[in-house]
C-alpha cells in the first residue's frame, strides 16, 4: 500500500503525484507560476523597498504604520502573465499615518516623493498607486492607505486620484485587503507533504536544487514596521 491519511479520515498516496491527473495539474500550475528564483527575488525587493520608504530622510520616515502584501502575493497565488505581456507584479499596501483632511492627490504625492529616487527602470504614478518598474519585467504597485477607526481589523481607505480628472472626482475608497488575506489563508490550510512535493517539482523546473528542509512559503510575511 502506498496510502496514508492526507487529512483526517481521507487516504491519499504518499507521493502526491503518483496519480497521473495530479501530475498533469501540477505541471500546468508550474507553467504559470513564478519561477522559484524570481519568487525569491520578489521577497528581496519587497524588503528593500520597505527599508527605503522608512529610512531617515524619507518623506515617510516615522509615518509607515504597516507594510504588507496585497492580492495574489498575500494568498500565495502569484503567477506570471506569460501568455499576455510577460510581466509579473507584487502589490503592496503602505499604511500611512496621514490626517483625514489630506486629499487623495496629496497622499499619492507623498508616496511618490518617497520613491522618486528609487533605483528602478521607471517610477510611474497611477490612479491609486505608485508603480516601480524593473528591467526584468517585474513591477511593484505601492498603494497608500489610511486605517479607519473601526472595530474591523485594519479596515482602511485607499486613494483614487486619476491624472487629468477634476479634483471633485478624487475620492477615498474603502478596502480591507489585510482581513481578506487572513480570512482566505485561514480557510485554505497547507497540506505540508503536497506542498513540499510541489515545491520540489517547481524548483527543479527552474533548474534550482531543492533542499528537503526548504521553506514551503516564499511569500514575504505581513510585516508591521517597528
Amino acid at each position: 500500500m502506498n496510502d496514508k491519511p492526507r487529512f483526517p479520515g481521507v487516504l491519499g498516496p504518499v507521493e502526491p503525484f503518483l496519480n497521473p491527473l495530479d501530475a498533469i495539474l501540477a505541471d500546468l500550475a508550474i507553467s504559470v507560476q513564478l519561477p522559484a528564483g524570481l519568487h525569491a527575488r520578489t521577497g528581496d525587493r519587497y524588503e528593500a523597498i520597505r527599508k527605503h520608504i522608512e529610512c531617515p530622510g524619507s518623506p515617510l520616515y516615522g509615518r509607515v504604520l504597516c507594510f504588507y502584501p496585497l492580492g495574489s502575493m498575500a494568498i500565495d497565488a502569484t503567477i506570471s502573465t506569460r501568455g499576455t505581456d510577460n510581466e509579473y507584479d507584487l502589490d503592496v499596501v503602505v499604511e500611512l499615518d496621514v490626517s483625514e483632511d489630506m486629499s487623495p492627490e496629496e497622499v499619492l504625492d507623498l508616496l511618490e516623493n518617497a520613491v522618486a529616487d528609487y533605483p528602478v527602470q521607471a517610477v510611474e504614478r497611477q490612479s491609486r498607486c505608485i508603480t516601480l518598474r524593473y528591467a526584468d519585467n517585474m513591477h511593484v504597485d505601492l498603494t497608500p492607505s489610511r486605517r479607519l477607526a473601526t472595530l474591523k481589523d485594519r479596515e482602511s481607505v485607499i486613494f483614487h486620484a486619476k491624472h487629468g480628472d477634476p479634483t471633485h472626482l478624487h475620492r477615498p475608497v474603502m478596502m480591507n485587503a489585510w482581513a481578506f488575506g487572513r480570512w482566505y489563508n485561514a480557510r485554505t490550510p497547507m497540506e505540508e507533504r503536497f506542498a513540499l512535493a510541489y515545491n520540489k517539482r517547481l524548483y527543479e523546473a527552474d533548474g534550482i536544487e531543492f533542499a528537503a528542509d526548504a521553506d514551503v512559503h516564499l511569500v514575504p510575511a505581513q510585516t508591521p514596521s517597528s
Side-chain angles (χ1 to χ4, degrees), residues 1-14 191-193:
M1 290 290 289
N2 194 36
D3 285 350
K4 72 175 185 179
R6 294 179 65 178
F7 303 101
V10 180
L11 293 180
V14 171
E191 204 277 303
E192 184 175 0
R193 184 164 47 84

Side-chain angles (χ1 to χ4, degrees), residues 86-144:
N86 199 37
E87 288 202 354
Y88 59 104
D89 69 333
L90 170 61
D91 297 305
V92 177
V93 175
V94 186
E95 186 181 292
L96 300 176
D97 179 13
V98 292
S99 64
E100 293 184 23
D101 59 0
M102 282 191 73
S103 71
E105 187 172 32
E106 288 173 328
V107 177
L108 285 162
D109 285 344
L110 190 61
L111 180 55
E112 184 177 22
N113 290 337
V115 296
D117 60 345
Y118 197 71
V120 286
Q121 191 174 53
V123 177
E124 299 176 357
R125 171 76 164 260
Q126 312 293 348
S127 298
R128 299 183 181 183
C129 67
I130 308 300
T131 298
L132 305 181
R133 293 196 178 276
Y134 292 81
D136 60 2
N137 289 331
M138 177 183 173
H139 65 270
V140 178
D141 290 331
L142 301 170
T143 302

Side-chain angles (χ1 to χ4, degrees), residues 6 13-19 22-23 191 193-195 197-198:
R6 294 179 65 178
V14 171
E15 165 52 57
F17 303 129
L18 286 181
N19 184 311
D22 285 346
E191 204 277 303
R193 184 164 47 84
F194 177 88
Y198 179 84

Side-chain angles (χ1 to χ4, degrees), residues 18-71:
L18 286 181
N19 184 311
L21 180 58
D22 285 346
I24 290 171
L25 291 174
D27 287 339
L28 286 173
I30 288 169
S31 72
V32 298
Q33 187 160 342
L34 287 187
L38 294 182
H39 207 294
R41 190 184 308 165
T42 298
D44 293 340
R45 288 175 174 174
Y46 172 92
E47 276 301 301
I49 294 167
R50 180 184 66 82
K51 290 177 180 177
H52 179 87
I53 290 173
E54 296 184 278
C55 73
S58 165
L60 291 176
Y61 178 64
R63 302 183 71 175
V64 179
L65 300 178
C66 194
F67 192 88
Y68 58 93
L70 167 71

